[in-house]
Amino acid sequence: MRDAPETELLAADRAGLARAAALLKGGALVAFGTETVYGLGADATDAAAVARVFAAKGRPHFNPLICHYPDADAAFAHVRADETARRLAARCWPGPLSLVLPRAPDCPVALLAGAGLDTLAVRVPAHPAALALLHAVARPVAAPSANRSGGVSPTTAAHVLDGLGGRIAAVLDSGPCPVGVESTVLDLTGERPFLLRPGGTTVEAIEALVGPVARGIPHAEAEAARTLRSPGLLVSHYAPGLPVRLDASTVGAEEALLAFGPPLAGAGAVFNLSQDGDLVEAAARLFDGLRSLDATGAARGLRRIAVMPIPDAGLGLAINDRLQRAAAPRAAVG
Ligand code: TXA
Ligand code: MG
């Protein structure tokens, strides 16, 4: 007997697309072909579905995911797009270019999809099946490459099944991916466009449209400078303002408690990641929990965030990785 349900192999026809869209809307994971590589899709507004993406991939930490949209209007409803973004979108979308932009204030995308960042990578893929699927779902679809963590990006449905068969609900088979390398990731949140990952759209094409693109050294320098201020923090990730204390077995009234399972008594504020001790639910609520305790703690004058122990298994690895970064000692800012 199998210990996991069979992954459905869907044809990219009307029935297959409808089935894939229904599964995604129901919170299930569906891999689908794009012009670059196959993506492992989840409804980006559903934090639990996004958490299952990390679980299926077996990622030991949370990476921010690219959100896929059927057109630029839909994408730019969720981020703050400037003139540069609009010009690139007009000429390069649909296509293998992902733009990192500030989240819009009312952005409905789950914080976990962006790994807690204030920014979001958005893209409109150039593949008829992917676009048809995105239109049918009518929600942003978060999709990393559909491989197990550490594996190579899949460019056929068979590759996807090799790595993720039995771990995801379905694969929409739209044939081999024509581009075969991932999208170019361009950060537009700084003073000038910054190349985070080279990919299917060439830097030359981007520079012809919007001028010089920064890459390499300046970013490394910026990272080093920021790391100096907050050693141990994953630089671009959300860091709570309050200090974080891990593995708490008691809690004081001057502390906010990030609970897992039945909460410890006596905290000044409580956010429970999962009353039932469910790691997928906890992952889905992690970034909301940190932000919410940070805000409540500041409002109530609390001193720190105490975190109950979380098992180091399954998604617990990624949760603990993130919490350890949040708890790492910080140098005084001069
Ligand atoms: O071609 C592609 O981009 C494919 C298909 C499925 O669209 N997707 C893909 O996703 O390659 P993934 O998760 O394997 O790679 C996404 C990259 C990662 O390097 C991630 O760090 C970066 O994009 N990224 C995503 N959101 C980001 C953000 N808000 N800020 C900075 N980098 C971000
Ligand atoms: Mg990848």
Side-chain angles (χ1 to χ4, degrees):
M1 242 181 74
R2 298 177 66 99
D3 58 354
E6 196 94 38
T7 295
E8 294 176 40
L9 183 60
L10 303 172
D13 55 16
R14 188 185 289 261
L17 285 163
R19 174 74 181 146
L23 284 167
L24 283 169
K25 285 191 204 176
L29 305 186
V30 177
F32 61 99
T34 75
E35 80 279 33
T36 58
V37 300
Y38 273 73
L40 177 54
D43 174 355
T45 66
D46 179 344
V50 174
R52 287 193 285 275
V53 167
F54 292 106
K57 284 186 65 97
R59 271 203 176 157
H61 48 256
F62 299 121
N63 280 0
L65 306 180
I66 297 169
C67 284
H68 297 69
Y69 294 85
D71 53 52
D73 284 347
F76 290 165
H78 292 173
V79 288
R80 289 207 309 269
D82 59 4
E83 186 46 41
T84 304
R86 290 181 192 282
R87 192 173 310 163
L88 286 168
R91 301 293 294 273
C92 301
W93 281 353
L97 176 64
S98 297
L99 300 177
V100 174
L101 291 161
R103 289 170 70 107
D106 53 355
C107 178
V109 171
L111 283 176
L112 184 64
L117 297 173
D118 291 325
T119 59
L120 197 63
V122 295
R123 124 167 166 90
V124 178
H127 193 292
L131 288 173
L133 179 65
L134 293 166
H135 275 290
V137 177
R139 291 178 203 171
V141 173
S145 49
N147 48 274
R148 291 287 282 272
S149 180
V152 286
S153 295
T155 53
T156 66
H159 294 167
V160 175
L161 288 173
D162 277 350
L164 296 173
R167 300 175 71 89
I168 63 177
V171 184
L172 183 68
D173 185 355
S174 52
C177 301
V179 175
V181 296
E182 293 91 340
S183 64
T184 301
V185 182
L186 192 68
D187 183 350
L188 294 180
T189 62
E191 260 170 38
R192 65 163 57 176
F194 188 92
L195 182 71
L196 290 173
R197 179 178 76 182
T201 300
T202 65
V203 177
E204 290 83 353
I206 295 169
E207 291 189 323
L209 292 168
V210 298
V213 168
R215 61 199 108 160
I217 304 297
H219 187 58
E221 274 171 9
E223 294 229 340
R226 272 173 289 181
T227 310
L228 214 61
R229 267 188 283 141
S230 313
L233 290 179
L234 199 62
V235 290
S236 49
H237 282 50
Y238 173 77
L242 290 177
V244 174
R245 177 170 76 86
L246 300 180
D247 286 326
S249 51
T250 59
V251 66
E254 77 289 359
E255 294 180 310
L257 180 69
L258 192 64
F260 181 78
L264 299 168
V270 178
F271 184 103
N272 204 331
L273 290 174
S274 172
Q275 178 72 33
D276 302 332
D278 177 314
L279 288 167
V280 173
E281 185 186 18
R285 289 165 58 75
L286 176 64
F287 293 108
D288 297 290
L290 286 172
R291 277 175 196 256
S292 127
L293 287 183
D294 219 14
T296 316
R300 297 191 193 162
L302 303 181
R303 293 244 191 99
R304 69 184 88 71
I305 298 173
V307 183
M308 289 174 62
I310 291 164
D312 240 342
L315 274 186
L317 282 179
I319 296 172
N320 285 325
D321 168 81
R322 183 63 193 81
L323 288 170
Q324 273 146 20
R325 292 171 194 281
R330 302 176 203 174
V333 181

